[in-house]
Amino acid sequence: LMSGVKNNVGRGINMALVNGKTGELLDTKFFDMWGGDVAPLIEFLKSIQDGTIVLMATYDDGATKLNEEARKLIAELGSTSITNLGFRDNWVFCGGKGIKTKSPFEQ
């Protein structure tokens, strides 16, 4: 889904959106949480449709620019660790828009 060869990964939070019914890749994005702005991440998180599988992984620093709103939106996807994510922590997560429970796929 994502790789340096595909040129769709970068520093910060890397995300892939997958259709929960068909398995089709819908979109990939990365958000620089060290030198970038959190606003595009928040906008992107709000645009995710119900039933979408959301895959996230950090590279380098995924936490410095995260604010309470961004963390809340990620928690709504099923994350329990996002509230504790700190500077240069490694984090991988698989959740979903509209999930009713917490995701067991997080480390």
Side-chain angles (χ1 to χ4, degrees):
L1 297 177
M2 301 182 79
S3 71
V5 173
K6 292 184 177 201
N7 199 30
N8 62 355
V9 295
R11 176 173 72 181
I13 297 177
N14 292 272
M15 296 178 62
L17 303 182
V18 176
N19 182 304
K21 291 183 180 182
T22 67
E24 172 192 6
L25 177 63
L26 301 172
D27 201 358
T28 61
K29 295 256 192 271
F30 61 91
F31 301 91
D32 186 348
M33 293 291 102
W34 170 255
D37 183 8
V38 73
L41 171 63
I42 290 170
E43 183 179 321
F44 186 72
L45 290 168
K46 287 180 177 179
S47 74
I48 299 172
Q49 301 295 310
D50 276 356
T52 302
I53 297 169
V54 182
L55 305 159
M56 297 186 191
T58 58
Y59 172 68
D60 190 21
D61 177 36
T64 297
K65 297 279 178 91
L66 281 181
N67 60 19
E68 186 176 325
E69 181 180 12
R71 290 177 190 266
K72 180 180 175 278
L73 290 167
I74 294 170
E76 289 173 358
L77 298 171
S79 174
T80 56
S81 298
I82 193 62
T83 55
N84 301 318
L85 189 67
F87 177 68
R88 286 201 166 164
D89 283 347
N90 294 316
W91 176 65
V92 293
F93 168 71
C94 176
K97 182 69 175 217
I99 193 169
K100 303 293 184 221
T101 61
K102 299 300 177 191
S103 173
F105 306 108
E106 181 173 34
Q107 188 168 353

Short mmCIF file of all heavy atoms in Angstrom, two decimals, residues 27-50:
data_model
loop_
_atom_site.label_atom_id
_atom_site.label_comp_id
_atom_site.label_asym_id
_atom_site.label_seq_id
_atom_site.Cartn_x
_atom_site.Cartn_y
_atom_site.Cartn_z
N ASP A 27 -6.95 5.83 -0.53
CA ASP A 27 -6.08 7.00 -0.49
C ASP A 27 -4.89 6.71 0.41
O ASP A 27 -4.97 5.86 1.30
CB ASP A 27 -6.85 8.21 0.06
CG ASP A 27 -6.23 9.55 -0.32
OD1 ASP A 27 -5.18 9.57 -0.99
OD2 ASP A 27 -6.80 10.58 0.05
N THR A 28 -3.79 7.41 0.17
CA THR A 28 -2.63 7.40 1.06
C THR A 28 -2.18 8.84 1.25
O THR A 28 -2.27 9.65 0.33
CB THR A 28 -1.45 6.58 0.48
OG1 THR A 28 -1.02 7.16 -0.75
CG2 THR A 28 -1.83 5.13 0.28
N LYS A 29 -1.74 9.14 2.45
CA LYS A 29 -1.24 10.48 2.76
C LYS A 29 -0.21 10.36 3.87
O LYS A 29 -0.21 9.40 4.64
CB LYS A 29 -2.36 11.39 3.27
CG LYS A 29 -3.44 11.70 2.29
CD LYS A 29 -3.28 13.12 1.77
CE LYS A 29 -4.50 13.57 1.00
NZ LYS A 29 -4.49 13.27 -0.39
N PHE A 30 0.64 11.38 3.98
CA PHE A 30 1.49 11.48 5.17
C PHE A 30 1.48 12.93 5.63
O PHE A 30 1.32 13.86 4.84
CB PHE A 30 2.91 10.95 4.93
CG PHE A 30 3.68 11.66 3.86
CD1 PHE A 30 4.49 12.74 4.16
CD2 PHE A 30 3.63 11.20 2.55
CE1 PHE A 30 5.23 13.38 3.17
CE2 PHE A 30 4.36 11.84 1.55
CZ PHE A 30 5.16 12.92 1.86
N PHE A 31 1.60 13.08 6.95
CA PHE A 31 1.49 14.39 7.58
C PHE A 31 2.70 14.60 8.48
O PHE A 31 2.90 13.87 9.44
CB PHE A 31 0.19 14.47 8.40
CG PHE A 31 -1.03 14.26 7.55
CD1 PHE A 31 -1.56 12.99 7.38
CD2 PHE A 31 -1.64 15.32 6.90
CE1 PHE A 31 -2.69 12.77 6.60
CE2 PHE A 31 -2.76 15.12 6.10
CZ PHE A 31 -3.28 13.85 5.96
N ASP A 32 3.49 15.62 8.17
CA ASP A 32 4.70 15.95 8.91
C ASP A 32 4.31 16.60 10.24
O ASP A 32 3.81 17.72 10.26
CB ASP A 32 5.57 16.89 8.08
CG ASP A 32 6.91 17.18 8.71
OD1 ASP A 32 7.11 16.85 9.90
OD2 ASP A 32 7.77 17.77 8.02
N MET A 33 4.53 15.89 11.33
CA MET A 33 4.15 16.41 12.64
C MET A 33 5.31 17.06 13.37
O MET A 33 5.20 17.43 14.53
CB MET A 33 3.55 15.30 13.51
CG MET A 33 2.22 14.78 13.01
SD MET A 33 0.89 16.01 13.17
CE MET A 33 0.75 16.61 11.48
N TRP A 34 6.42 17.26 12.66
CA TRP A 34 7.56 17.99 13.23
C TRP A 34 7.62 19.39 12.61
O TRP A 34 7.55 20.39 13.31
CB TRP A 34 8.87 17.25 13.01
CG TRP A 34 10.06 18.09 13.37
CD1 TRP A 34 10.93 18.71 12.51
CD2 TRP A 34 10.50 18.44 14.67
NE1 TRP A 34 11.89 19.41 13.21
CE2 TRP A 34 11.63 19.26 14.55
CE3 TRP A 34 10.03 18.14 15.95
CZ2 TRP A 34 12.31 19.78 15.65
CZ3 TRP A 34 10.71 18.66 17.04
CH2 TRP A 34 11.84 19.46 16.88
N GLY A 35 7.71 19.45 11.31
CA GLY A 35 7.86 20.74 10.64
C GLY A 35 6.59 21.22 9.96
O GLY A 35 6.54 22.34 9.45
N GLY A 36 5.55 20.39 9.94
CA GLY A 36 4.32 20.73 9.24
C GLY A 36 3.27 21.33 10.15
O GLY A 36 3.56 21.78 11.26
N ASP A 37 2.05 21.32 9.68
CA ASP A 37 0.91 21.88 10.39
C ASP A 37 -0.10 20.76 10.65
O ASP A 37 -0.31 19.91 9.79
CB ASP A 37 0.29 22.99 9.53
CG ASP A 37 -0.86 23.71 10.19
OD1 ASP A 37 -1.12 23.48 11.38
OD2 ASP A 37 -1.51 24.51 9.50
N VAL A 38 -0.75 20.78 11.80
CA VAL A 38 -1.71 19.74 12.15
C VAL A 38 -3.05 19.94 11.44
O VAL A 38 -3.81 18.99 11.28
CB VAL A 38 -1.90 19.65 13.69
CG1 VAL A 38 -2.69 20.84 14.21
CG2 VAL A 38 -2.55 18.34 14.07
N ALA A 39 -3.35 21.14 10.95
CA ALA A 39 -4.65 21.43 10.32
C ALA A 39 -4.98 20.50 9.15
O ALA A 39 -6.11 20.00 9.08
CB ALA A 39 -4.74 22.89 9.91
N PRO A 40 -4.06 20.23 8.22
CA PRO A 40 -4.40 19.30 7.12
C PRO A 40 -4.73 17.88 7.62
O PRO A 40 -5.59 17.21 7.06
CB PRO A 40 -3.16 19.29 6.24
CG PRO A 40 -2.49 20.59 6.53
CD PRO A 40 -2.76 20.86 7.98
N LEU A 41 -4.04 17.43 8.68
CA LEU A 41 -4.35 16.12 9.26
C LEU A 41 -5.77 16.11 9.82
O LEU A 41 -6.53 15.19 9.55
CB LEU A 41 -3.35 15.77 10.36
CG LEU A 41 -3.68 14.52 11.19
CD1 LEU A 41 -3.68 13.26 10.33
CD2 LEU A 41 -2.72 14.37 12.36
N ILE A 42 -6.14 17.14 10.56
CA ILE A 42 -7.48 17.22 11.14
C ILE A 42 -8.53 17.23 10.04
O ILE A 42 -9.53 16.50 10.11
CB ILE A 42 -7.60 18.45 12.05
CG1 ILE A 42 -6.75 18.25 13.30
CG2 ILE A 42 -9.05 18.74 12.40
CD1 ILE A 42 -6.59 19.47 14.17
N GLU A 43 -8.30 18.01 9.01
CA GLU A 43 -9.25 18.07 7.88
C GLU A 43 -9.40 16.71 7.22
O GLU A 43 -10.51 16.27 6.90
CB GLU A 43 -8.75 19.10 6.87
CG GLU A 43 -9.66 19.32 5.70
CD GLU A 43 -9.12 20.38 4.76
OE1 GLU A 43 -8.57 21.38 5.23
OE2 GLU A 43 -9.25 20.18 3.53
N PHE A 44 -8.28 16.01 7.03
CA PHE A 44 -8.30 14.69 6.40
C PHE A 44 -9.04 13.68 7.29
O PHE A 44 -9.87 12.91 6.80
CB PHE A 44 -6.87 14.22 6.14
CG PHE A 44 -6.78 12.93 5.37
CD1 PHE A 44 -7.08 12.89 4.01
CD2 PHE A 44 -6.38 11.77 5.98
CE1 PHE A 44 -7.00 11.70 3.30
CE2 PHE A 44 -6.28 10.58 5.28
CZ PHE A 44 -6.60 10.55 3.94
N LEU A 45 -8.78 13.69 8.59
CA LEU A 45 -9.45 12.78 9.51
C LEU A 45 -10.96 13.00 9.51
O LEU A 45 -11.73 12.04 9.55
CB LEU A 45 -8.90 12.94 10.93
CG LEU A 45 -7.47 12.45 11.15
CD1 LEU A 45 -6.95 12.92 12.50
CD2 LEU A 45 -7.38 10.94 11.03
N LYS A 46 -11.39 14.23 9.44
CA LYS A 46 -12.81 14.54 9.42
C LYS A 46 -13.49 14.09 8.13
O LYS A 46 -14.69 13.84 8.11
CB LYS A 46 -13.03 16.04 9.62
CG LYS A 46 -12.76 16.51 11.03
CD LYS A 46 -12.98 18.00 11.15
CE LYS A 46 -12.79 18.48 12.57
NZ LYS A 46 -12.99 19.94 12.69
N SER A 47 -12.72 13.96 7.05
CA SER A 47 -13.30 13.61 5.75
C SER A 47 -13.45 12.10 5.54
O SER A 47 -14.07 11.67 4.57
CB SER A 47 -12.44 14.18 4.62
OG SER A 47 -11.24 13.45 4.48
N ILE A 48 -12.92 11.29 6.43
CA ILE A 48 -12.98 9.83 6.28
C ILE A 48 -14.42 9.35 6.42
O ILE A 48 -15.12 9.74 7.35
CB ILE A 48 -12.06 9.13 7.30
CG1 ILE A 48 -10.60 9.56 7.09
CG2 ILE A 48 -12.20 7.61 7.20
CD1 ILE A 48 -9.66 9.08 8.17
N GLN A 49 -14.85 8.52 5.50
CA GLN A 49 -16.22 8.00 5.47
C GLN A 49 -16.37 6.79 6.39
O GLN A 49 -15.44 6.00 6.56
CB GLN A 49 -16.60 7.60 4.04
CG GLN A 49 -16.53 8.73 3.04
CD GLN A 49 -17.53 9.83 3.33
OE1 GLN A 49 -18.71 9.56 3.54
NE2 GLN A 49 -17.07 11.06 3.37
N ASP A 50 -17.58 6.61 6.95
CA ASP A 50 -17.88 5.43 7.76
C ASP A 50 -17.61 4.16 6.96
O ASP A 50 -17.85 4.11 5.75
CB ASP A 50 -19.35 5.43 8.20
CG ASP A 50 -19.59 6.27 9.44
OD1 ASP A 50 -18.62 6.81 10.01
OD2 ASP A 50 -20.75 6.40 9.84
#
